[in-house]
């Protein structure tokens, strides 16, 4: 019965530890990564807005110049050329403006991720692991003390029986 209780308690501790690890991985770590990404992406927003503004101004200037020529067909042709060239220009501008920043974000995440994992470990997993180890130690200590008490009782009983046997033989020899 006592062994079953210990096994049940051990399973419960293992379940708690697994729950703590799972919570750290599924709840705490993603929150820290999300915070890191938000912070880094906020720094990218002005760069993206500036590049879009530059491209918009260039497209407007080209359309205005074509319209100033006075030829409607030329303006339409320039407008269609701008429409075709705009996606490639936006992609190139974004790559040149945002690309290095993305690399910076990745490098920042590589530096921050170990700290986030360490923090999750320190705040969630390590305390629960310490608690589980403490409970296991108390279980071992309790079992050891009960075993020593049982052994001492048995030795005391054997000593009393031996003394009684010797005393009995001594008393009967004196009669």
């Amino acid at each position: 019965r006592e062994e079953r209780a210990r096994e049940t308690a051990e399973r419960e501790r293992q379940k708690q530890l697994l729950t703590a690890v799972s919570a750290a991985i599924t709840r705490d770590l993603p929150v820290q990564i999300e915070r890191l990404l938000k912070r880094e992406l906020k720094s990218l927003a002005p760069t993206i807005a500036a590049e879009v503004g530059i491209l918009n101004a260039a497209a407007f200037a080209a359309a205005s110049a074509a319209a100033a020529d006075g030829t409607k067909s030329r303006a339409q042709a320039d407008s269609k050329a701008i429409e075709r060239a705009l996606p490639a220009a936006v992609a190139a501008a974004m790559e040149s403006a945002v690309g290095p920043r993305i690399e910076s974000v990745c490098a920042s995440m590589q530096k921050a991720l170990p700290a986030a994992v360490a923090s999750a470990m320190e705040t969630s997993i390590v305390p629960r692991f310490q608690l589980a180890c403490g409970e296991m130690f108390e279980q071992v200590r309790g079992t050891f003390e009960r075993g020593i008490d049982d052994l001492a009782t048995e030795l005391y009983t054997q000593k009393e029986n031996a003394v009684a046997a010797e005393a009995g033989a001594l008393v009967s020899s004196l009669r």
Side-chain angles (χ1 to χ4, degrees):
R1 229 176 42 173
E2 188 176 310
E3 191 173 319
R4 275 191 193 157
R6 278 186 299 207
E7 287 176 3
T8 302
E10 179 62 28
R11 274 191 232 110
E12 183 61 30
R13 273 192 299 281
Q14 288 176 352
K15 182 180 175 184
Q16 289 174 352
L17 192 58
L18 183 60
T19 301
V21 170
S22 178
I25 291 171
T26 59
R27 184 190 63 221
D28 301 338
L29 190 59
V31 168
Q32 291 180 357
I33 290 172
E34 181 181 356
R35 286 181 193 152
L36 176 68
L37 279 174
K38 282 181 180 179
R39 186 180 70 231
E40 293 298 327
L41 291 177
K42 278 183 184 178
S43 69
L44 282 176
T47 305
I48 293 172
E51 288 299 318
V52 169
I54 291 169
L55 289 172
N56 190 21
F60 182 74
S64 295
D69 280 350
T71 59
K72 190 174 184 181
S73 61
R74 170 138 176 137
Q76 287 175 344
D78 286 343
S79 176
K80 287 183 182 181
I82 290 171
E83 283 180 28
R84 284 190 300 265
L86 192 58
V90 167
M94 288 299 169
E95 187 175 331
S96 67
V98 179
R101 295 290 304 199
I102 296 273
E103 290 172 11
S104 170
V105 169
C106 289
S108 177
M109 284 184 61
Q110 283 178 339
K111 290 177 185 172
L113 193 58
V117 170
S119 174
M121 294 287 284
E122 289 171 359
T123 59
S124 297
I125 297 170
V126 171
R128 295 217 178 138
F129 185 74
Q130 285 176 327
L131 182 64
C133 287
E135 289 175 5
M136 285 186 277
F137 179 75
E138 285 302 314
Q139 232 181 22
V140 168
R141 187 181 60 79
T143 301
F144 178 75
E145 286 177 355
R146 279 192 305 278
I148 290 296
D149 288 345
D150 291 347
L151 182 61
T153 302
E154 185 180 327
L155 289 174
Y156 183 76
T157 303
Q158 286 177 2
K159 178 184 167 196
E160 289 296 314
N161 289 342
V163 168
E166 287 180 22
L170 191 61
V171 168
S172 53
S173 69
L174 289 175
R175 287 190 191 172

